[in-house]
Amino acid sequence: MNHKTIVFDFDGTIADTYEQLIKLANELADEFNYKPISQSELLRLKNLSSWEIIKQAQIPLFKIPFLFKRIQKELNKEIERINIFPEIETVLHQLKARGYQLGIITSNTEKNVKNVLAKYELSHLFDFIYAETTIFGKHRIIGEVIRTKKIDRGDIIYVGDETRDIRSAQKSRVAIVAVAWGFHSREILAKQKPEFIVDRPLELLDVIAQWHNFWKTEIVSELRTQKLSKTV
């Protein structure tokens, strides 16, 4: 299938849930026995990888899925306070108008995602939503999308704001655009060597066009190589 597909992370990429997530994480600190995050620590955490943050919090791995589920449940009560990032609505509409298939892979719940999308009347732009709580990265879910939607790996690009998003895309052998307006800083994202890094949503339009044009060039080159090999 040669349908170009753009898959978005949700929290920190489409929706600005940063303040709500930090607030909820701090409210649950006593219950899950970890240290609350102070304002002075927030900037430092932006320059740590996802795994480094988990290690420093000293939360037992078996507790993390339960913590995620509690945060998701509480986040549902904050839906009216959740905004999408400036420019992202314009970007989504333009990408859809250009014929791309759009999807979401998220560690949030499908209900929370759909509620926010409905609030901004964006639901119709997305062809699929995959929601799964995981701390081990999203590469398995990306693989599932590729298999079930019958998408070639060269036809899909992932957009996310965390180092684990980059690693998941790399494990899945798909292109990645890292966005610097979410949780992780530009510096820590760059260390993971994504194909692209953007600082504001409108830049997505340019880098995705570059990716699309590169893909077309590669296809033409491959066809020419096949044609030459047949004539030899």
Side-chain angles (χ1 to χ4, degrees):
M1 179 178 178
N2 292 326
H3 200 150
K4 303 295 280 183
T5 303
I6 306 167
V7 180
F8 290 84
D9 170 52
F10 185 71
D11 296 285
T13 302
I14 292 175
D16 186 2
T17 55
Y18 182 72
E19 288 186 9
Q20 284 88 359
L21 290 173
I22 295 298
K23 171 178 167 286
L24 292 172
N26 282 342
E27 288 175 355
L28 294 169
D30 286 342
E31 181 180 340
F32 285 87
N33 195 29
Y34 60 85
K35 185 181 176 182
I37 305 166
S38 67
Q39 284 297 123
S40 61
E41 287 179 306
L42 288 178
L43 286 176
R44 187 176 63 84
L45 292 179
K46 278 182 169 285
N47 287 294
L48 297 178
S49 70
S50 302
W51 273 113
E52 287 172 333
I53 292 170
I54 290 171
K55 286 178 183 177
Q56 290 208 8
Q58 296 183 326
I59 307 171
L61 285 179
F62 77 89
K63 283 189 176 183
I64 292 176
F66 298 100
L67 173 62
F68 277 16
K69 286 189 179 297
R70 279 296 305 281
I71 290 176
Q72 290 168 352
K73 182 179 178 181
E74 297 302 318
L75 191 63
N76 184 253
K77 301 173 186 176
E78 303 278 332
I79 292 297
E80 288 307 312
R81 297 185 182 89
I82 294 175
N83 298 313
I84 61 173
F85 286 101
E87 303 179 347
I88 200 71
E89 184 173 356
T90 299
V91 169
L92 294 172
H93 278 285
Q94 288 200 30
L95 290 174
K96 195 65 177 179
R98 294 179 185 182
Y100 291 102
Q101 178 174 236
L102 304 183
I104 291 173
I105 292 178
T106 179
S107 298
N108 208 323
T109 66
E110 186 173 354
K111 181 180 179 181
N112 287 347
V113 172
K114 285 185 173 180
N115 283 342
V116 174
L117 294 179
K119 176 183 171 183
Y120 287 93
E121 299 182 352
L122 298 173
S123 305
H124 66 288
L125 299 178
F126 290 93
D127 299 278
F128 59 85
I129 298 171
Y130 281 71
E132 184 176 321
T133 302
T134 174
I135 63 170
F136 300 109
K138 301 173 183 174
H139 57 281
R140 293 184 182 87
I141 310 173
I142 294 172
E144 184 180 347
V145 169
I146 289 169
R147 288 191 301 275
T148 58
K149 302 293 180 182
K150 298 181 180 178
I151 304 169
D152 293 334
R153 291 182 191 274
D155 292 341
I156 185 170
I157 191 165
Y158 187 62
V159 183
D161 70 306
E162 294 184 55
T163 57
R164 62 180 181 145
D165 293 320
I166 299 173
R167 289 197 302 271
S168 293
Q170 290 169 342
K171 283 184 179 180
S172 304
R173 293 179 287 117
V174 303
I176 173 74
V177 182
V179 306
W181 58 79
F183 183 74
H184 276 129
S185 69
R186 186 181 231 280
E187 290 71 25
I188 193 69
L189 293 171
K191 288 179 181 178
Q192 303 297 321
K193 298 183 176 7
E195 278 76 15
F196 304 97
I197 304 180
V198 293
D199 296 297
R200 51 181 291 198
L202 282 177
E203 293 176 17
L204 283 169
L205 298 174
D206 290 333
V207 299
I208 288 171
Q210 289 176 38
W211 165 68
H212 196 157
N213 290 336
F214 173 79
W215 173 81
K216 286 195 293 186
T217 302
E218 288 292 295
I219 291 296
V220 170
S221 176
E222 183 178 342
L223 289 174
R224 285 175 178 168
T225 302
Q226 290 176 358
K227 186 176 181 181
L228 285 172
S229 65
K230 287 179 181 178
T231 58
V232 174

